C-alpha cells in the first residue's frame, strides 16, 4: 500500500511564498516604513501565510495517522530510505533528517529551507520507489515518523504547546538555541545565557537571589531590622546537547547544563566573588519513535515537577520568576534518576515511571547532638544515627541522610485539544538507626505523596492559568521552602510530618516581546512531638520556647530574654513581574525583567505564642541569550 501524497502543489506554493518573504524581508521592511498602508497589507499577508503553515502541519499530522493505520494493516513493515537532514534556519539538506531544537519538519519545509538533493526531487509520499533509488531521497516515513522528544512536544496540539524558548520558564527548564552544528553524524546544539541579577530586600538574608525562606529572621535578630542589596552574575548558564540517529526510529542524546551557583570555602564577596561551577543537569536520553517509548538516565528535573507537554525533558512547567529558588510551594528537585515513559493515542496520553535519588530532611529540635556525624541524643540515654558527613569529594559540612531505597515516582499526563493535565505520586523510605543501652536497631518509615497540575490556555498562546499541588507525609523536601520530612520519635525512629504545597499563576504574553506574570505559592508542614522529663522534643511542640522571638537580642542565649524555637508551619509568597525582550535578531536575544515578591512565614505556637515574620523583595535582571 502506497501512502498518497499530501497537497503537494498547495504547500509548495506556501513554502515558496514564505521563502520569497524571508529573502525580501529587509527591502520590504524599508519600503513599508515609507508606506504604512503597505505595512498593514504585508502583515495581513504574513498572517495568511501562517495560517497556511498551520494547515501544512495539520496535513502532516493526518499523514502520521494514515501511516499508523497502514502499519496496523501490514504488520509495521514499511520500507524506509535514508532521510532528510535539516540544519538550522536556511541550512542545507543532506542524508539523515534531524529537526532543530524546538522546530518541526513542517516549520522548516514551509519556511523555505534550502534543500540540497543533488538534482533529484524529494519523494514525500510513501515507501522508496525501488531498492536502487538514491539513498538521500526522503520518504514520508523518514520525514514524519523520524522524530524525538522536542518534535513530539510540538505535535501535541493541546493549545498550550511547548515552551517558547525565549521565555524564562523555558530557560529554567533548559531550553536550547535554534542553531545546530555538526560533528560528523552527531548534532551539537548550544544553549544558555549571560545573567546579571540584583535584588533589594527589607531584611538581611545572605542568600542573594536564592530565597531561603527558613532563614528569614524574626524580630529577635538584628537582621530583621536591616535592609540589604545584593547583585551578582553567578547564575549565568551554559548548556549543550549532543545527539545522533542510531536508525530512522531511534535517537540518542546527551544533555548537560551548568551555572556558577555553588560556593567554595574560599568564595567571598569582598574581592574575587569566585563562585564555582555546579552541575544542574546531565543526562542521556533514548527515544524510540516506533514503540513510542522514551528512556532517561542521569540528573534531571524530578518527574514530580509539573510538565507543559506530555512527560518530556526540558518541557517542565516552571515559573518565569527571577529568584533562583523559583517560588514558594513549587514542586521540584534536580536529581539522579532512571525514567521510562511511554505515550499513547498519538501523543495524547503519557505514562511514566521513575526511580530517583532519595534524601530526607530531619528536624531535630530538642534532641541534643551525641556526636558530630549525624548522631542525636535520645531522652533515654541512647542516640539516633540519621546520616553521615560527607567524605572524599562530598561536602564535609553536609550531613547525608541514611537511605535504604530510591524514591519511586509515577506520573500520568493527558494532552487533549485544550489544556494539559497530569497526576503523580511518590513513595519515599526514610531510614535511620538507634542505639539504646548498647543495642542497635534499624528503622524504616514509608513516606508518600500525591498531587497533580494543569495548564488552562484561556487565550491560547496569549493567556494561561497554571495550577499545581502536592500533599502527603514525609515529602517536604520536594517543595521550594525545604520544610522537614521527619523528626524523631522517643525510640529514634523517623516520625513523618504531613506536608502540602500548591501554586497558582496567571501568565500573559501581550505581544512577542513582553511576558507578564503573577503567582501565589504556599507550603505547609504538620507537627509531631513528645515530652520527656520536662523537655520538649520534636517539631511544633506546644511547649517549645518562643518567648524571646519578638525581643531583639534574645538569640544571644540570655535566659532573661528567653529563646525562639519557632518551627515553621507555613510559608506563603505573592509575586508579580514582567520580562521585556528589547533586542532580538540573528545575534541572539537581550531581555530585562523585574519582579516584586512578598513572603510571609507562620510558625507553630509554643510558650510565648506563634510569631510571624515577612520578607519584601524587588528583583532586577538582564540576560543575553546568544543562541536564541
Amino acid at each position: 500500500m502506497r501512502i498518497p501524497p499530501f497537497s503537494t502543489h498547495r504547500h509548495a506554493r506556501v513554502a515558496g511564498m514564505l521563502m520569497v518573504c524571508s529573502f525580501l524581508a529587509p527591502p520590504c521592511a524599508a519600503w513599508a516604513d515609507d508606506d504604512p498602508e503597505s505595512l498593514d497589507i504585508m502583515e495581513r499577508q504574513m498572517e495568511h501565510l501562517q495560517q497556511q503553515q498551520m494547515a501544512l502541519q495539520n496535513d502532516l499530522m493526518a499523514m502520521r495517522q494514515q501511516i499508523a493505520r497502514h502499519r496496523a494493516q501490514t504488520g509495521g513493515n514499511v520500507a524506509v530510505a535514508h532521510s532528510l537532514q535539516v540544519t538550522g534556519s536556511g541550512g542545507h539538506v543532506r542524508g539523515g533528517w534531524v529537526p532543530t531544537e524546538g522546530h518541526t519538519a513542517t516549520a522548516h519545509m514551509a519556511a523555505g529551507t534550502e534543500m540540497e538533493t543533488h538534482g533529484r526531487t524529494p519523494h514525500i509520499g510513501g515507501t522508496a520507489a525501488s531498492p536502487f533509488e538514491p539513498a538521500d531521497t526522503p520518504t514520508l516515513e523518514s520525514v514524519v515518523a523520524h522524530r524525538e522528544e522536542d518534535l513530539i512536544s510540538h505535535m501535541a496540539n493541546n493549545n498550550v504547546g511547548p515552551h517558547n524558548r525565549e521565555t524564562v520558564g523555558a530557560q529554567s527548564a533548559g531550553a536550547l538555541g535554534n542553531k545546530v552544528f555538526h560533528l560528523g553524524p552527531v548534532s551539537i546544539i548550544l544553549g544558555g545565557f549571560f545573567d546579571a541579577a540584583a535584588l533589594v530586600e527589607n531584611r538581611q538574608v545572605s542568600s542573594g537571589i536564592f530565597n531561603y525562606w527558613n532563614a528569614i529572621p524574626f524580630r529577635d535578630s538584628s537582621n530583621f531590622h536591616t535592609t540589604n542589596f545584593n547583585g551578582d552574575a553567578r547564575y549565568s548558564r551554559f548548556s549543550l546537547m549532543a545527539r545522533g540517529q542510531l536508525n530512522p526510529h531511534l535517537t540518542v542524546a546527551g544533555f548537560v547544563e551548568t551555572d556558577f551557583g555553588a560556593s567554595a570555602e574560599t568564595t567571598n564577596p569582598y574581592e574575587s566573588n569566585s563562585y564555582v561551577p555546579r552541575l544542574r543537569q546531565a543526562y542521556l536520553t533514548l527515544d524510540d519513535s516506533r514503540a513510542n517509548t522514551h528512556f532517561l538516565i542521569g540528573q534531571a528535573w524530578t518527574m514530580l515537577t509539573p510538565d507543559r507537554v506530555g512527560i518530556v525533558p526540558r518541557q517542565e512547567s516552571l515559573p518565569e520568576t527571577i529568584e533562583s529558588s523559583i517560588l514558594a510551594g513549587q514542586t521540584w528537585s534536580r536529581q539522579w534518576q532512571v525514567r521510562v515513559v511511554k505515550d499513547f493515542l498519538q501523543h495524547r496520553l503519557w505514562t511514566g515511571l521513575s526511580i530517583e535519588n532519595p534524601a530526607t530532611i530531619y528536624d531535630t529540635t530538642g534532641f541534643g547532638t551525641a556526636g558530630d556525624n549525624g548522631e542525636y541524643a535520645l531522652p533515654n540515654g541512647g542516640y539516633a544515627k540519621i546520616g553521615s558527613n560527607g567524605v572524599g569529594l562530598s561536602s564535609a559540612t553536609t550531613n547525608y541522610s541514611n537511605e535504604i531505597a530510591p524514591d519511586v515516582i509515577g506520573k500520568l499526563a493527558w494532552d487533549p485539544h485544550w489544556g494539559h493535565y497530569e497526576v503523580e505520586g511518590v513513595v519515599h523510605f526514610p531510614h535511620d538507626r538507634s542505639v539504646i543501652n548498647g543495642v542497635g536497631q534499624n528503622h524504616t518509615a514509608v513516606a508518600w505523596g500525591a498531587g497533580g497540575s494543569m495548564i488552562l490556555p484561556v487565550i491560547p498562546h496569549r493567556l494561561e492559568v497554571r495550577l499545581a499541588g502536592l500533599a502527603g507525609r514525609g515529602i517536604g523536601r520536594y517543595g521550594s521552602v525545604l520544610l522537614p520530612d521527619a523528626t524523631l520519635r522517643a525510640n529514634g525512629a523517623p516520625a513523618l510530618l504531613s506536608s502540602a504545597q500548591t501554586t497558582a499563576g496567571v501568565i500573559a504574553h501581550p505581544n512577542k516581546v513582553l511576558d507578564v506574570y503573577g503567582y501565589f505559592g504556599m507550603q505547609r508542614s504538620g507537627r509531631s512531638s513528645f515530652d520527656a522529663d520536662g523537655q520538649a522534643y520534636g517539631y511544633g511542640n506546644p511547649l517549645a520556647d518562643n518567648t524571646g522571638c519578638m525581643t531583639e537580642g534574645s538569640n544571644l542565649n540570655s535566659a532573661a530574654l528567653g529563646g525562639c524555637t519557632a518551627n515553621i508551619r507555613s510559608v506563603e509568597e505573592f509575586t508579580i513581574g514582567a520580562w521585556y525582550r528589547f533586542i532580538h535578531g540573528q545575534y541572539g536575544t537581550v531581555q530585562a525583567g523585574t519582579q516584586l515578591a512578598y513572603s510571609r512565614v507562620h510558625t507553630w505556637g509554643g510558650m510565648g505564642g506563634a510569631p510571624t515574620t515577612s520578607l519584601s523583595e524587588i528583583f532586577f535582571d538582564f540576560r543575553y541569550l546568544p543562541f536564541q
Side-chain angles (χ1 to χ4, degrees), residues 226-313:
T226 305
T227 58
N228 181 47
F229 173 86
N230 180 269
D232 58 52
R234 62 191 296 190
Y235 294 104
S236 297
R237 191 175 306 167
F238 177 77
S239 58
L240 178 149
M241 170 178 278
R243 68 184 179 193
Q245 296 297 141
L246 302 182
N247 60 48
H249 302 281
L250 200 59
T251 303
V252 63
F255 178 77
V256 64
E257 181 182 56
T258 183
D259 65 11
F260 302 88
S263 298
E265 291 297 323
T266 56
T267 299
N268 70 78
Y270 303 110
E271 185 177 44
S272 64
N273 287 274
S274 302
Y275 297 102
V276 297
R278 65 170 180 170
L279 183 66
R280 285 178 58 88
Q281 300 187 77
Y283 57 79
L284 175 144
T285 60
L286 196 63
D287 292 280
D288 189 331
S289 65
R290 174 170 288 174
N292 289 331
T293 56
H294 318 277
F295 175 80
L296 181 151
I297 182 169
Q299 179 166 307
W301 293 93
T302 173
M303 203 168 69
L304 282 178
T305 308
D307 288 298
R308 186 170 182 85
V309 172
I311 307 175
V312 179

Side-chain angles (χ1 to χ4, degrees), residues 99-131:
T100 59
E101 174 69 17
H103 289 273
T104 63
T106 306
H108 284 293
M109 294 171 65
T113 304
E114 182 182 350
M115 297 186 178
E116 205 172 277
T117 56
H118 306 287
R120 289 180 291 272
T121 301
H123 174 68
I124 308 178
T127 60
S130 74

Side-chain angles (χ1 to χ4, degrees), residues 99-104 108 150 154 162-180 189-193 243 308 314-315 515 581 584 589 591 623 625 627-628:
T100 59
E101 174 69 17
H103 289 273
T104 63
H108 284 293
D150 55 337
H154 276 75
H163 278 297
N164 180 338
R165 67 164 59 89
E166 295 167 352
T167 64
V168 172
Q171 295 158 27
S172 297
L176 293 163
N178 56 5
K179 296 178 178 63
V180 182
I189 310 174
L190 302 179
F193 50 82
R243 68 184 179 193
R308 186 170 182 85
R314 302 186 309 283
Q315 289 300 332
D515 303 320
R581 291 179 285 277
H584 179 62
T589 299
Q591 60 188 35
R623 289 184 181 179
L625 296 86
F627 310 112
Q628 298 178 19

Side-chain angles (χ1 to χ4, degrees), residues 509-527:
H509 310 285
N511 51 52
K512 294 182 178 180
V513 299
L514 185 64
D515 303 320
V516 182
Y517 60 85
Y519 288 98
F520 166 76
M522 181 273 295
Q523 185 172 353
R524 302 175 57 91
S525 176
R527 57 181 176 179

Side-chain angles (χ1 to χ4, degrees), residues 585-598:
Q586 61 179 329
Y587 299 107
T589 299
V590 181
Q591 60 188 35
T594 186
Q595 176 190 348
L596 305 177
Y598 174 78

Side-chain angles (χ1 to χ4, degrees), residues 381-392:
Y383 68 91
K385 175 77 168 179
I386 65 172
S388 298
N389 293 341
V391 296

